[in-house]
Amino acid sequence: MESLPAVSVLRLGFVVPPPDLALSQWGELRLLIDGRDVLEEMHPGGVSSCWRGRWFGPAEEWPLAASGEPRRVELTNNDCVTDCCGGTFVTIRRRADRVEWTGWENTEDVRLPVPADVHFDAAAYDAELARAVADLSWEEPVDSVARLMRLELAASGCFQRWGWGVNTVHPLRSQGSAQVRVHFSPLEAPYANGSTFVHEVAVARDVPAEEQVRRFVDMVAADDPRGTARTLG
């Protein structure tokens, strides 16, 4: 009888990203496989493609979710789209009580070795993804406000009542200041120049994140948000 490959241990955690990243300033995902930072070995200095802003919604839609259909997943980039500057990829698939990571690719530098196939216990794998999403200990105030803003805007529908749809919510951090940007545009209307708007919500370190989000949601619910927003070109 053929023996199954050994089971590896996955450990995930989000960290505060450098303030100069261009693609996203949501928390970066760090992952260890059997205690090894395999992505740093493959792509030294690479930027996580599985940032915290992609971990909303049902678990089956999370970046590292595993299903019976093999799925090629982008893991890192060079703070640029991988079609341009390369990155690292792996194919994720659930098979019976295992999750398999196979077909590793490094399009950033093909000279560097890639890991061998990795197998995880499926139940432990799912539990680790859920644990990482639930862990908020790494967050700075801007991360908490951005996370809660994303959730509350989706739940409240305050933009929709004025005929707007929220396009993106993302944190921005710089030396000594931080803000959350909310981009929105008309619902069910084709894109046109000047039809996208942004609210830049300054984040205070000494005010609870929940209170800051509630103030913004109440403001939008009370009046058309376009009146206090900036137009994007």
Side-chain angles (χ1 to χ4, degrees), residues 37-226:
D37 189 342
V38 295
L39 296 183
E40 182 62 22
E41 295 173 10
M42 288 178 65
H43 186 183
V47 176
S48 173
S49 299
C50 301
W51 55 76
R52 180 61 179 85
R54 298 181 59 201
W55 292 79
F56 292 93
E60 57 268 22
E61 296 178 3
W62 293 347
L64 301 184
S67 70
E69 290 296 320
R71 188 168 58 90
R72 183 174 182 258
V73 176
E74 179 185 317
L75 298 175
T76 64
N77 61 78
N78 284 300
D79 201 21
C80 178
V81 294
T82 52
D83 286 347
C84 174
C85 300
T88 61
F89 302 81
V90 72
T91 296
I92 298 177
R93 180 180 184 181
R94 184 183 301 269
R95 195 194 302 265
D97 62 350
R98 297 286 185 96
V99 170
E100 303 170 354
W101 285 22
T102 62
W104 295 81
E105 303 171 59
N106 185 350
T107 63
E108 195 272 337
D109 189 344
V110 296
R111 298 169 299 177
L112 294 178
V114 297
D117 293 351
V118 182
H119 291 241
F120 304 103
D121 174 81
Y125 182 92
D126 293 341
E128 179 59 13
L129 267 61
R131 185 205 61 78
V133 170
D135 179 18
L136 310 178
S137 62
W138 62 275
E139 289 186 340
E140 293 186 338
V142 68
D143 302 294
S144 301
V145 171
R147 172 178 52 81
L148 293 172
M149 187 78 78
R150 171 80 177 263
L151 294 170
E152 187 61 26
L153 291 181
S156 69
C158 58
F159 273 87
Q160 287 84 340
R161 70 175 296 184
W162 302 105
W164 303 105
V166 175
N167 301 332
T168 61
V169 176
H170 58 270
L172 284 177
R173 61 194 90 222
S174 60
Q175 294 294 336
S177 65
Q179 63 180 234
V180 172
R181 289 190 175 179
V182 180
H183 291 218
F184 61 101
S185 59
L187 285 171
E188 301 178 0
Y191 172 79
N193 190 40
S195 66
T196 301
F197 302 86
V198 59
H199 265 284
E200 297 163 329
V201 184
V203 173
R205 301 189 67 89
D206 57 349
V207 178
E210 294 82 358
E211 181 178 338
Q212 296 183 66
V213 172
R214 174 48 52 192
R215 288 176 184 172
F216 180 74
V217 171
D218 288 348
M219 181 192 74
V220 173
D223 199 5
D224 188 333
R226 181 175 57 178

